[in-house]
C-alpha cells in the first residue's frame, strides 16, 4: 500500500450536524496491519486525505474515530465518564482486573484518590535521592569516549527507581523482580494490542508465559505485603506499597491484596518503560544539538533548571513515545464537534499528530526547547500524559525522574556532539524508541559539579 493509494480514495464526507466522519475504505485486515505495524505512516497519509478527524475499522478496537484537533481533544478529555469510558480493550488485560485501567466511574475516582498521595508534593521530593543514586550506580560503569546505547541503561535506572520507590529498600524479592520483570515488559508490550485467544494455548505460548510471570509476581508481592504489615516502622515508611496498605476508601475499607498487586504491576509497567524511552530520545536529540547541550550545561553548572524543564517538555512533544489515548463511547451516541459518534465506537486522540501541529508549534519538526522557556505548553495541544480523569497519575513523578537523571548526567559527564544522522523511530509494541538505542559518546568531567 502506497501513500498514493490512501490519497486517491473516496472523497471525504462534508462535516455537518450529526454527520459521520469520513471513513478510510480499505478492508479491515489491511487497516489492522497498517495500524499495528505502520501506524504513524497510516495516520499521516490519512490526515492528508481526510483532515484531522476520520474513521477507521481495525481488529481489536473495531470502529474507531481518529482525531487530533485540540478543540475536539478538549471535548473528549473533559467529557463525562457516563458518556466516554476507558478504551476497550485496554491495558488491564496485561496488568489485571484490579488495575486502575480496568475501572470506570466511581470505582475509578475512588482508586485515583488512593493512588494520588505517593505521586504528589513531598512524596516525589523524597524520591529524588533514589533517582540520583540509581543514575550514579548505573553510570559508574559507562565506557568513556566510546559510543554506546543509552536506552538499556535508562531502562535499568527507571526500573530500579520504580522498584525502590514502590517497595522500599532492596531485598531478595526485589532482586527477583528485577530479574523477571524486563522479559515480561518486553513480551507484554508486544501482546498489549493483540487479541487474546478464547482458548488456552499452553504454558509455552506468549499468553501462557505472561500468566506464569503473573503467578510469580503475585507470590513476590504477597510476601512483600506480609513483611510490610509486620514491619514495626510501617507507619513511618514512605514507599508506595506502605502508603497503599495504610490507605482507606471513604467507607473505611482497604484495597485487597490482589488489587494492590495489580496496581503495583501497573505502576512498574506504565511508570518505567515510557520514561526510559523518553530519556533514550533525550540523548539521541542532545547528541545532534550542540547549542542545546551548551545551554543545559551552563544552566546546570549555575544551579538552574528552567531550560532543562523546557527541554523535557520539548522531548515529549518532538519525540512522543506513546502516540494515542483512547476512549469508548458508553452513551447512546457522542457528539464530537459536528460529528456524531455511535455507541460502542472508540475515539482515539492521535498524540503524535497533535504534537506536530504547526498552528501551535511553528516548525514542529525542529527540536527547540526554547519554545517552552517562559511559556506553558498549550492546553490540549501538548498532552503526552493524556488528559482529563484518566491523565497519567505518575506524570509529575516521570517529569522529576527525567529531570534528576539529566541533571546528574550533566554534572558528571560531557556529551560529545556531532552531525550524525537522526535515529529512526522504532515501535516496541507500546512505546516508540530510538531505533539504534540513543547512541552517544560521553566523557567524564574532571571534577563533577556540586
Amino acid at each position: 500500500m502506497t501513500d498514493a493509494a490512501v490519497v486517491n480514495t473516496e472523497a471525504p464526507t462534508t462535516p455537518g450536524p450529526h454527520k459521520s466522519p469520513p471513513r478510510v475504505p480499505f478492508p479491515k485486515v489491511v487497516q489492522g496491519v497498517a495500524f499495528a505495524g505502520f501506524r504513524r505512516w497510516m495516520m499521516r497519509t490519512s490526515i492528508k486525505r481526510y483532515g484531522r478527524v476520520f474513521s477507521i475499522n481495525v481488529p481489536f478496537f473495531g470502529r474507531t474515530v481518529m482525531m487530533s484537533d485540540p478543540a475536539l481533544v478538549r471535548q473528549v478529555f473533559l467529557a463525562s465518564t457516563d458518556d466516554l469510558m476507558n478504551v476497550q480493550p485496554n491495558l488491564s488485560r496485561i496488568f489485571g482486573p484490579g488495575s486502575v485501567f480496568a475501572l470506570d466511574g466511581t470505582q475509578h475516582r475512588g482508586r485515583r484518590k488512593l493512588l494520588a498521595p505517593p505521586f504528589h508534593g513531598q512524596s516525589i521530593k523524597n524520591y529524588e535521592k533514589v533517582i540520583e543514586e540509581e543514575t550514579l550506580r548505573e553510570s559508574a560503569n559507562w565506557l568513556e569516549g566510546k559510543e554506546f546505547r543509552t536506552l538499556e541503561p535508562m531502562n535499568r535506572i527507571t526500573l530500579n527507581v520504580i522498584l525502590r520507590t514502590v517497595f522500599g529498600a532492596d531485598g531478595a524479592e526485589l532482586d527477583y523482580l528485577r530479574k523477571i520483570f524486563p522479559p515480561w515488559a518486553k513480551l507484554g508490550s508486544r501482546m498489549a494490542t493483540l487479541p487474546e485467544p478464547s482458548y488456552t494455548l499452553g504454558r509455552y505460548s506468549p499468553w501462557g508465559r505472561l500468566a506464569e510471570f503473573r503467578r510469580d509476581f503475585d507470590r513476590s508481592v504477597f510476601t512483600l505485603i506480609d513483611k510490610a504489615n509486620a514491619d514495626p516502622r510501617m507507619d513511618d515508611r514512605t514507599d508506595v506499597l506502605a502508603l497503599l496498605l495504610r490507605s482507606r476508601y471513604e467507607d473505611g475499607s482497604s484495597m485487597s491484596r490482589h488489587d494492590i498487586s495489580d496496581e503495583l504491576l501497573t505502576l512498574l509497567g506504565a511508570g518505567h518503560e515510557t520514561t526510559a524511552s523518553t530519556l533514550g530520545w533525550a540523548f539521541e536529540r542532545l547528541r545532534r544539538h550542540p547549542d542545546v547541550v551548551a545551554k543545559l550545561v551552563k544552566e546546570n553548572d549555575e544551579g538552574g533548571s528552567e531550560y532543562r524543564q523546557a527541554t523535557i517538555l520539548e522531548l515529549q512533544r518532538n519525540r512522543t513515545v506513546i502516540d494515542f489515548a483512547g476512549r469508548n463511547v458508553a452513551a447512546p451516541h457522542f457528539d464530537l464537534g459536528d460529528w456524531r459518534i455511535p455507541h460502542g465506537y472508540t475515539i482515539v486522540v492521535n498524540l503524535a499528530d497533535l504534537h506536530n501541529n504547526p498552528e501551535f508549534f511553528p516548525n514542529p519538526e525542529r527540536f527547540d526547547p526554547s519554545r517552552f522557556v517562559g511559556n506553558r505548553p498549550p492546553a490540549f495541544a501538548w498532552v503526552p500524559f493524556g488528559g482529563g480523569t484518566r491523565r497519567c497519575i505518575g506524570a509529575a513523578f516521570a517529569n522529576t525522574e527525567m529531570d534528576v537523571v539529566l541533571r546528574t548526567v550533566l554534572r558528571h559527564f560531557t556529551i560529545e556532539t556531532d552531525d550524525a544522522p537522526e535515529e529512526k523511530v522504532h515501535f516496541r509494541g507500546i512505546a516508540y524508541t530510538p531505533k539504534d538505542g540513543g547512541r552517544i559518546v560521553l566523557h567524564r568531567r574532571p571534577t563533577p559539579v556540586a
Side-chain angles (χ1 to χ4, degrees):
M1 187 160 53
T2 65
D3 287 11
V6 175
V7 172
N8 292 329
T9 53
E10 64 189 32
T13 304
T14 302
H18 303 164
K19 293 294 184 74
S20 297
R23 292 183 177 180
V24 174
F26 293 108
K28 185 175 183 178
V29 65
V30 174
Q31 294 189 50
V33 170
F35 187 81
F38 311 95
R39 182 158 58 245
R40 292 195 175 179
W41 168 83
M42 179 189 185
M43 295 301 103
R44 286 194 303 268
T45 52
S46 297
I47 288 167
K48 288 179 183 177
R49 176 61 177 133
Y50 302 111
R52 289 196 160 92
V53 183
F54 57 91
S55 176
I56 62 175
N57 187 18
V58 294
F60 196 71
F61 290 125
R63 293 286 183 185
T64 300
V65 174
M66 304 295 305
M67 46 84 76
S68 54
D69 181 320
L72 301 184
V73 171
R74 181 182 189 278
Q75 188 180 347
V76 167
F77 284 156
L78 298 186
S80 166
T81 54
D82 293 332
D83 293 333
L84 298 182
M85 61 187 296
N86 194 21
V87 64
Q88 303 293 327
N90 55 56
L91 289 175
S92 63
R93 299 162 64 248
I94 303 297
F95 296 134
S99 165
V100 69
F101 282 102
L103 306 179
D104 275 292
T106 55
Q107 285 186 316
H108 179 257
R109 288 193 293 272
R111 182 64 59 78
R112 293 270 302 194
K113 287 183 179 179
L114 290 190
L115 294 174
F119 297 104
H120 289 287
Q122 187 58 44
S123 294
I124 292 181
K125 192 71 177 175
N126 292 337
Y127 302 146
E128 287 193 19
K129 183 179 179 182
V130 173
I131 300 167
E132 183 174 12
E133 287 174 354
E134 291 301 332
T135 305
L136 291 174
R137 184 197 307 195
E138 178 65 35
S139 63
N141 298 317
W142 286 353
L143 295 176
E144 184 176 3
K146 293 186 178 181
E147 186 179 74
F148 69 99
R149 292 168 57 96
T150 58
L151 187 59
E152 289 77 17
M154 294 304 110
N155 267 287
R156 288 191 290 270
I157 290 171
T158 58
L159 177 58
N160 286 333
V161 166
I162 200 72
L163 283 172
R164 288 181 60 186
T165 55
V166 165
F167 295 110
D170 279 333
E173 286 78 18
L174 263 65
D175 288 339
Y176 181 66
L177 292 175
R178 195 176 283 116
K179 176 183 177 181
I180 68 172
F181 190 82
W184 173 85
K186 184 176 182 180
L187 178 60
S189 64
R190 291 176 176 174
M191 305 301 294
T193 54
L194 294 179
E196 186 173 0
S198 57
Y199 48 87
T200 302
L201 295 177
R203 61 179 296 188
Y204 297 110
S205 70
W207 292 106
R209 299 206 312 272
L210 288 176
E212 183 177 6
F213 162 84
R214 189 53 206 261
R215 289 190 291 269
D216 293 341
F217 180 84
D218 283 344
R219 280 195 295 269
S220 296
V221 170
F222 295 160
T223 298
L224 289 164
I225 288 174
D226 291 338
K227 287 185 175 181
N229 284 329
D231 187 348
R233 300 178 297 103
M234 174 67 167
D235 290 342
D236 298 323
R237 286 174 49 170
T238 59
D239 56 276
V240 176
L241 173 59
L243 292 173
L244 291 183
L245 288 172
R246 293 199 302 264
S247 64
R248 295 292 182 270
Y249 290 107
E250 291 181 356
D251 64 0
S253 63
S254 59
M255 292 176 63
S256 71
R257 292 161 66 93
H258 285 282
D259 283 355
I260 288 177
S261 187
D262 285 354
E263 287 296 10
L264 295 181
L265 181 59
T266 301
L267 293 175
L268 292 180
H272 131 70
E273 185 176 7
T274 52
T275 304
S277 299
T278 303
L279 285 167
W281 279 119
F283 293 108
E284 189 278 343
R285 295 283 76 201
L286 293 182
R287 174 177 179 171
R288 292 152 181 83
H289 294 83
D291 56 330
V292 175
V293 173
K295 291 178 182 178
L296 284 171
V297 171
K298 183 177 185 297
E299 178 191 68
N300 206 55
D301 290 354
E302 295 172 352
S305 63
E306 181 183 32
Y307 192 75
R308 190 169 63 247
Q309 285 290 325
T311 299
I312 293 170
L313 298 178
E314 177 68 347
L315 278 167
Q316 293 169 303
R317 184 204 68 80
N318 187 252
R319 290 295 187 269
T320 304
V321 299
I322 301 294
D323 66 345
F324 72 85
R327 300 288 189 272
N328 188 266
V329 179
H333 65 264
F334 183 76
D335 289 335
L336 181 66
D338 291 327
W339 313 110
R340 172 156 287 184
I341 315 301
H343 170 81
Y345 268 53
T346 297
I347 299 176
V348 167
V349 178
N350 181 350
L351 303 182
D353 182 63
L354 189 68
H355 292 166
N356 281 279
N357 189 330
E359 295 180 21
F360 296 89
F361 307 107
N363 300 314
E365 71 287 345
R366 181 181 177 187
F367 179 67
D368 181 16
S370 65
R371 72 173 83 238
F372 291 122
V373 174
N375 297 309
R376 293 176 61 85
F380 303 105
W382 181 94
V383 286
F385 296 107
T389 59
R390 306 204 80 94
R391 185 175 187 268
C392 175
I393 199 167
F397 180 90
N399 181 77
T400 297
E401 187 168 19
M402 289 184 281
D403 183 66
V404 174
V405 170
L406 288 176
R407 181 185 73 196
T408 305
V409 171
L410 290 168
R411 283 177 177 173
H412 291 265
F413 295 91
T414 297
I415 297 174
E416 188 174 303
T417 60
D418 56 31
D419 57 357
E422 295 182 350
E423 293 189 28
K424 294 182 179 180
V425 176
H426 175 62
F427 184 46
R428 290 171 54 121
I430 294 179
Y432 287 84
T433 65
K435 185 175 182 180
D436 298 324
R439 302 185 72 86
I440 199 168
V441 177
L442 298 177
H443 300 273
R444 294 188 183 277
R445 301 182 70 169
T447 304
V449 177

